[in-house]
Amino acid sequence: MSVNKTNKLCCVIGYPIEHSLSPLIHNAGYKALGLENQYSFRAFPIKAEDLDSGLETLAQLGAIGVSVTLPHKINCLPFVHSSSWAVDKIGAANTLIRKNSTWHAENTDYLGILKPLENLTSLIGKKVAVLGASGAGRAAVYAMNFAEANVKIYNRTESKAQELADEFGIKAGKWEELSELVDFDIIINCTSVGLESEDPCPVPESCFSSKQIVFDCIYNQQSTALLRIAKNKGAKTVHGIEMFIEQAKEQFLLYTNQEIDGEIFRTALYQHFNWKLV
């Protein structure tokens, strides 16, 4: 690892990491706010077995903030000195802050799910189905519990859904009974179905109605089968890019103590993907 020490270093770690768009949006933010001579954001590939030494190296390089992606969101926790309530409840961190020569863990993923939905509706008492019990699924369950929604978790491996349900005091549903989603107000897809353009919709078309909000956490496709079908059924839809932007806005604030307009991140991402802003 090498770095220009004239700037405050922020970075994203994971393995592999070449696909990460965090450097793109954070550096765009620095430029937009005239901070490009004060901060720099880079990606560092760190394997799971090298995480301890990798974090130590980043500390020696003067890193003040670290965005954490797969496979480190859970296995970074043994190497932090303190953590937020959200991290403790979710059991994963996506953000590390250097404080008093130690690492402090935060989780902004749940805000990436919470804020876009709060912009559309009050979540209190809403029936919410979360698909997938992975890290994103855990963040979604936490976010919806935090907002006082009525949450039910579904996962292909039923035991994982039940384990998460027991942990948060919610109900678990069976994957083969997804047809019952038609009775839910909000559906949040936290599975990996949709990462590839040819991926099918993860749930039956009969699940959707014009009364629903459908949130797909996938952000690397301009549209997924889930969003297309839900939109055709009249549902309001939330693209995964909104989650990516909102969680990154909170990270940007934690790293720089300055707020950033999400449109700056959105413009950078749409230009990268060659999508048209609407």
Side-chain angles (χ1 to χ4, degrees):
M1 298 179 184
S2 62
V3 66
N4 178 3
K5 288 195 174 182
T6 60
N7 290 359
K8 294 178 181 178
L9 174 65
C10 300
C11 58
V12 59
I13 61 171
Y15 196 86
I17 200 61
E18 292 78 12
H19 65 285
S20 176
L21 298 178
S22 292
L24 171 77
I25 61 174
H26 282 270
N27 285 318
Y30 301 151
K31 185 174 181 181
L33 297 187
L35 300 175
E36 65 267 38
N37 293 323
Q38 300 177 46
Y39 294 88
S40 61
F41 198 105
R42 293 186 54 186
F44 290 106
I46 298 178
K47 295 180 180 180
E49 59 268 27
D50 299 326
L51 183 56
D52 188 11
S53 60
L55 287 174
E56 180 59 33
T57 298
L58 289 175
Q60 292 172 4
L61 291 173
I64 62 168
V66 179
S67 300
V68 182
T69 190
L70 296 175
H72 302 320
K73 289 189 177 187
I74 295 174
N75 61 19
C76 70
L77 296 183
F79 308 113
V80 306
H81 183 262
S82 59
S83 56
S84 68
W85 171 257
V87 169
D88 294 341
K89 288 297 292 181
I90 296 169
N94 75 324
T95 309
L96 302 180
I97 307 294
R98 194 69 178 167
K99 290 185 177 181
N100 301 320
S101 301
T102 61
W103 293 113
H104 172 75
E106 293 277 354
N107 190 304
T108 70
D109 279 338
Y110 84 96
L111 293 171
I113 294 171
L114 181 64
K115 289 188 174 183
L117 288 172
E118 285 187 329
N119 289 337
L120 294 175
T121 187
S122 169
L123 295 169
I124 297 174
K126 289 291 194 302
K127 288 186 66 176
V128 181
V130 174
L131 311 181
S134 63
R138 293 182 65 86
V141 168
Y142 174 82
M144 294 302 98
N145 258 10
F146 181 84
E148 299 181 43
N150 182 9
V151 194
K152 194 170 185 177
I153 180 76
Y154 297 81
N155 193 69
R156 288 189 182 277
T157 304
E158 190 176 339
S159 60
K160 290 185 177 180
Q162 191 61 58
E163 182 179 343
L164 184 57
D166 292 343
E167 187 176 337
F168 280 89
I170 62 174
K171 294 181 179 180
K174 296 182 179 180
W175 196 261
E176 58 269 24
E177 296 176 355
L178 287 180
S179 58
E180 66 187 24
L181 295 186
V182 70
D183 296 322
F184 281 73
D185 301 303
I186 300 170
I187 299 171
I188 307 174
N189 176 40
C190 298
T191 74
S192 60
V193 179
L195 280 172
E196 303 298 331
S197 59
E198 65 273 14
D199 282 353
C201 183
V203 299
E205 289 189 32
S206 59
C207 292
F208 305 115
S209 77
S210 60
K211 299 177 181 180
Q212 293 174 326
I213 299 173
V214 178
F215 192 144
D216 198 339
C217 293
I218 301 295
Y219 71 86
N220 70 323
Q221 301 292 335
Q222 187 164 14
S223 184
T224 61
L226 176 73
L227 293 182
R228 288 193 297 272
I229 294 170
K231 192 171 185 178
N232 286 339
K233 293 281 189 174
K236 293 180 181 178
T237 58
V238 181
H239 193 284
I241 208 167
E242 302 305 320
M243 177 184 178
F244 187 55
I245 289 169
E246 288 296 339
Q247 63 83 30
K249 282 172 57 180
E250 187 66 19
Q251 287 182 329
F252 193 93
L253 177 61
L254 289 168
Y255 298 159
T256 68
N257 203 33
Q258 295 199 45
E259 294 185 352
I260 186 75
D261 186 342
E263 289 304 312
I264 293 169
F265 288 169
R266 184 175 288 104
T267 298
L269 289 165
Y270 271 61
Q271 288 176 347
H272 171 80
F273 287 121
N274 198 27
W275 296 347
K276 183 180 292 185
L277 280 167
V278 293

